[in-house]
Amino acid sequence: MRLMVEFTTEPFELDTFPEHAAAARTVVDEAGLAVSVGPFGTSAEGGAEQVLTAVTKLLRETLDAGATRISVQVSVLGEEAGTP
């Protein structure tokens, strides 16, 4: 099974790239997920275990880096990447 996780971390900072956002990006990159950064959040997709492990690590590391809110949505994809 393939999953896609979409997430945002807060507080938003317009002048800098906050530590919690950098921590989140590092987690998904190190997990080897296919990452897409958008204006309101980031999405990443991969195998179920890969994504679920990354989500757990993302939550811990972004909170440790100062996030005060983390919004997460996980979707099951079809057999082809990106197909809901």
Side-chain angles (χ1 to χ4, degrees):
M1 174 183 351
R2 292 188 60 77
L3 299 177
M4 178 173 61
V5 60
E6 298 174 88
F7 61 90
T8 58
T9 62
E10 296 179 40
F12 297 114
E13 296 178 25
L14 299 178
D15 297 331
T16 63
F17 191 64
E19 279 187 50
H20 55 81
R25 181 58 193 256
T26 298
V27 168
V28 292
D29 284 342
E30 288 177 352
L33 301 175
V35 178
S36 178
V37 178
F40 301 108
T42 301
S43 64
E45 65 179 74
E49 284 305 312
Q50 186 182 22
V51 170
L52 294 172
T53 299
V55 167
T56 299
K57 186 174 181 181
L58 182 144
L59 293 171
R60 287 189 175 119
E61 294 198 10
T62 56
L63 289 169
D64 287 346
T68 57
R69 179 183 301 214
I70 306 158
S71 299
V72 177
Q73 179 174 313
V74 178
S75 302
V76 176
L77 300 177
E79 290 301 313
E80 296 181 29
T83 305

